Coordinates of all heavy atoms in Angstrom, one line a residue:
R9 N 4.7 65.2 29.6 CA 4.0 64.2 30.4 C 4.0 64.7 31.8 O 4.9 65.3 32.2 CB 4.7 62.8 30.4 CG 4.8 62.2 28.9 CD 5.5 60.9 29.0 NE 5.8 60.3 27.8 CZ 4.9 59.3 27.2 NH1 3.8 59.0 27.9 NH2 5.2 58.9 26.0
Y10 N 2.9 64.5 32.5 CA 2.8 64.9 33.9 C 2.3 63.8 34.8 O 1.5 62.8 34.3 CB 1.8 66.0 34.0 CG 2.3 67.3 33.5 CD1 2.1 67.7 32.2 CD2 3.1 68.2 34.3 CE1 2.5 68.9 31.7 CE2 3.6 69.3 33.8 CZ 3.3 69.7 32.5 OH 3.8 70.9 32.0
D11 N 2.8 63.7 36.0 CA 2.3 62.6 36.9 C 1.1 63.1 37.7 O 1.2 64.0 38.5 CB 3.5 62.4 37.9 CG 3.2 61.3 39.0 OD1 2.1 60.7 38.8 OD2 4.0 61.1 39.9
F12 N 0.0 62.5 37.4 CA -1.3 62.8 38.1 C -1.6 61.8 39.1 O -2.8 61.7 39.6 CB -2.4 62.9 37.0 CG -2.3 64.1 36.2 CD1 -1.9 63.9 34.8 CD2 -2.6 65.4 36.6 CE1 -1.8 65.0 34.0 CE2 -2.5 66.5 35.8 CZ -2.1 66.3 34.5
G13 N -0.6 60.9 39.6 CA -1.0 60.0 40.6 C -1.7 58.8 40.0 O -2.3 58.1 40.8
L14 N -1.7 58.6 38.7 CA -2.4 57.5 38.1 C -1.5 56.2 38.4 O -0.4 56.2 38.6 CB -2.6 57.7 36.6 CG -3.4 58.9 36.2 CD1 -3.5 59.0 34.7 CD2 -4.7 58.9 36.8
E15 N -2.2 55.0 38.2 CA -1.6 53.8 38.6 C -0.4 53.4 37.6 O -0.5 53.7 36.5 CB -2.6 52.6 38.5 CG -2.1 51.3 39.0 CD -3.2 50.2 38.8 OE1 -4.4 50.5 38.6 OE2 -2.8 49.0 39.1
Y16 N 0.7 52.9 38.2 CA 1.8 52.4 37.5 C 1.6 51.0 37.2 O 1.0 50.2 37.9 CB 3.1 52.7 38.2 CG 3.6 54.1 38.2 CD1 3.0 55.0 39.1 CD2 4.5 54.6 37.2 CE1 3.4 56.4 39.1 CE2 4.9 55.9 37.3 CZ 4.4 56.8 38.2 OH 4.7 58.1 38.1
L17 N 2.2 50.5 36.1 CA 2.2 49.1 35.7 C 3.2 48.3 36.6 O 4.4 48.7 36.6 CB 2.5 48.9 34.2 CG 2.4 47.6 33.6 CD1 0.9 47.1 33.7 CD2 2.8 47.6 32.1
D18 N 2.7 47.3 37.2 CA 3.6 46.4 38.0 C 3.8 45.1 37.4 O 3.0 44.2 37.3 CB 2.9 46.2 39.4 CG 3.8 45.4 40.4 OD1 4.8 44.9 40.0 OD2 3.4 45.3 41.6
F19 N 5.0 44.9 36.7 CA 5.3 43.7 36.0 C 5.4 42.5 36.8 O 5.2 41.4 36.3 CB 6.6 43.9 35.2 CG 6.5 44.7 33.9 CD1 6.7 46.1 33.9 CD2 6.0 44.1 32.8 CE1 6.6 46.9 32.7 CE2 5.9 44.9 31.6 CZ 6.1 46.2 31.6
S20 N 5.5 42.6 38.1 CA 5.6 41.5 39.0 C 4.2 40.8 39.1 O 4.1 39.7 39.6 CB 6.1 41.9 40.4 OG 5.2 42.7 41.1
K21 N 3.2 41.5 38.8 CA 1.9 41.0 38.8 C 1.3 40.4 37.5 O 0.1 40.0 37.4 CB 0.9 42.1 39.4 CG 1.2 42.5 40.8 CD 0.3 43.6 41.3 CE 0.6 44.0 42.7 NZ -0.3 45.1 43.2
I22 N 2.1 40.5 36.5 CA 1.8 40.1 35.2 C 2.4 38.8 34.9 O 3.6 38.7 34.7 CB 2.1 41.1 34.1 CG1 1.5 42.5 34.4 CG2 1.7 40.6 32.7 CD1 2.0 43.6 33.5
S23 N 1.6 37.7 34.7 CA 2.1 36.4 34.5 C 2.4 36.1 33.0 O 3.2 35.3 32.7 CB 1.2 35.3 35.1 OG -0.1 35.4 34.5
S24 N 1.6 36.8 32.1 CA 1.8 36.5 30.7 C 1.1 37.7 29.9 O 0.3 38.4 30.4 CB 1.2 35.2 30.3 OG -0.3 35.3 30.5
L25 N 1.6 37.9 28.7 CA 1.1 38.8 27.7 C 0.7 37.9 26.5 O 1.6 37.4 25.8 CB 2.0 39.9 27.4 CG 2.3 40.8 28.5 CD1 3.4 41.8 28.0 CD2 1.1 41.6 29.0
D26 N -0.6 37.7 26.2 CA -1.0 36.8 25.2 C -1.5 37.5 24.0 O -2.1 38.6 24.1 CB -2.1 35.8 25.7 CG -1.6 35.0 26.9 OD1 -0.6 34.4 26.8 OD2 -2.4 35.1 27.9
F27 N -1.3 36.9 22.8 CA -1.8 37.6 21.6 C -2.4 36.5 20.6 O -1.8 35.4 20.6 CB -0.6 38.3 20.8 CG 0.0 39.3 21.6 CD1 1.1 39.0 22.5 CD2 -0.5 40.6 21.6 CE1 1.7 40.0 23.2 CE2 0.1 41.6 22.4 CZ 1.2 41.3 23.2
E28 N -3.4 36.8 19.9 CA -4.1 35.8 19.1 C -4.7 36.5 17.9 O -5.1 37.7 18.0 CB -5.0 34.9 19.8 CG -6.2 35.7 20.5 CD -6.9 34.8 21.5 OE1 -6.3 34.2 22.5 OE2 -8.2 34.8 21.4
K29 N -5.0 35.7 16.9 CA -5.7 36.3 15.7 C -7.1 36.4 15.9 O -7.7 35.5 16.5 CB -5.4 35.4 14.5 CG -5.9 35.9 13.2 CD -5.5 35.0 12.1 CE -6.0 35.6 10.7 NZ -5.6 34.7 9.5
P30 N -7.7 37.6 15.6 CA -9.2 37.7 15.8 C -10.0 36.7 14.9 O -9.5 36.5 13.7 CB -9.5 39.1 15.5 CG -8.4 39.5 14.6 CD -7.2 38.8 15.0
D31 N -11.1 36.2 15.4 CA -12.0 35.3 14.5 C -13.0 36.2 13.8 O -14.0 36.5 14.3 CB -12.7 34.3 15.5 CG -13.4 33.2 14.7 OD1 -13.7 33.5 13.5 OD2 -13.7 32.2 15.3
T32 N -12.7 36.5 12.5 CA -13.6 37.4 11.8 C -14.8 36.6 11.2 O -15.7 37.2 10.7 CB -12.8 38.1 10.7 OG1 -12.1 37.1 9.8 CG2 -11.8 39.1 11.2
D33 N -14.7 35.3 11.3 CA -15.9 34.5 10.9 C -17.0 34.7 12.0 O -18.2 34.7 11.7 CB -15.6 33.0 10.7 CG -14.7 32.8 9.5 OD1 -14.9 33.6 8.5 OD2 -14.0 31.9 9.5
V34 N -16.6 34.7 13.2 CA -17.6 34.9 14.3 C -17.9 36.4 14.5 O -19.0 36.8 14.5 CB -17.1 34.3 15.6 CG1 -18.1 34.6 16.8 CG2 -16.9 32.8 15.5
F35 N -16.9 37.2 14.6 CA -17.0 38.6 14.8 C -16.9 39.3 13.5 O -15.9 39.9 13.0 CB -15.9 39.1 15.8 CG -16.1 38.5 17.1 CD1 -15.3 37.4 17.5 CD2 -17.0 39.0 18.1 CE1 -15.4 36.8 18.7 CE2 -17.1 38.4 19.3 CZ -16.3 37.3 19.6
E36 N -18.1 39.2 12.7 CA -18.1 39.6 11.3 C -17.9 41.1 11.1 O -17.5 41.6 10.0 CB -19.5 39.2 10.7 CG -19.8 37.8 10.8 CD -21.2 37.5 10.4 OE1 -21.6 38.0 9.3 OE2 -21.9 36.8 11.2
G37 N -18.2 41.9 12.1 CA -18.1 43.4 12.0 C -16.7 43.8 11.7 O -16.5 44.8 11.0
L38 N -15.7 43.2 12.2 CA -14.3 43.5 11.9 C -14.0 43.3 10.4 O -13.4 44.2 9.8 CB -13.3 42.7 12.8 CG -11.9 43.0 12.6 CD1 -11.6 44.5 12.9 CD2 -11.1 42.1 13.5
K39 N -14.4 42.2 9.8 CA -14.2 42.0 8.4 C -15.0 43.0 7.5 O -14.5 43.6 6.5 CB -14.6 40.6 8.0 CG -14.3 40.3 6.5 CD -14.6 38.9 6.2 CE -14.1 38.6 4.7 NZ -14.6 39.6 3.7
M40 N -16.2 43.3 7.9 CA -17.0 44.3 7.2 C -16.3 45.7 7.3 O -16.4 46.4 6.3 CB -18.4 44.4 7.7 CG -19.3 43.2 7.3 SD -21.0 43.4 7.7 CE -21.1 42.9 9.4
A41 N -15.7 46.0 8.3 CA -15.0 47.3 8.5 C -13.8 47.4 7.5 O -13.7 48.3 6.8 CB -14.6 47.5 9.9
Y42 N -13.1 46.3 7.4 CA -11.9 46.2 6.5 C -12.4 46.4 5.1 O -11.9 47.2 4.3 CB -11.2 44.9 6.6 CG -10.0 45.0 7.6 CD1 -10.2 44.5 9.0 CD2 -8.8 45.5 7.2 CE1 -9.1 44.5 9.9 CE2 -7.7 45.5 8.2 CZ -7.9 45.0 9.4 OH -6.8 45.0 10.3
D43 N -13.5 45.7 4.8 CA -14.0 45.7 3.4 C -14.5 47.1 3.1 O -14.3 47.6 1.9 CB -15.2 44.7 3.2 CG -14.7 43.3 3.3 OD1 -13.4 43.0 3.1 OD2 -15.5 42.3 3.4
S44 N -15.2 47.7 4.0 CA -15.7 49.1 3.8 C -14.6 50.1 3.6 O -14.7 51.0 2.7 CB -16.6 49.5 5.0 OG -17.8 48.7 5.1

C-alpha cells in the first residue's frame, strides 16, 4: 500500500451507517441477474 495523499475517512463526520434490503420488485435488473 502507498500513500498518494488521497482523502482519509473521518469518522467524526459520519452520523450513521445504514443498510437495507434492495427492492428487486422495483429494480428488476438485480433479480434478472441472479436468475441469469
Side-chain angles (χ1 to χ4, degrees):
R9 297 178 186 267
Y10 288 93
D11 179 5
F12 289 105
L14 301 180
E15 184 181 354
Y16 286 82
L17 189 61
D18 185 348
F19 280 94
S20 69
K21 296 180 180 179
I22 300 173
S23 59
S24 64
L25 295 175
D26 301 310
F27 302 92
E28 60 194 51
K29 187 176 181 179
D31 189 340
T32 54
D33 290 330
V34 175
F35 298 96
E36 303 171 51
L38 181 56
K39 184 179 186 305
M40 285 191 279
Y42 269 99
D43 291 344
S44 296

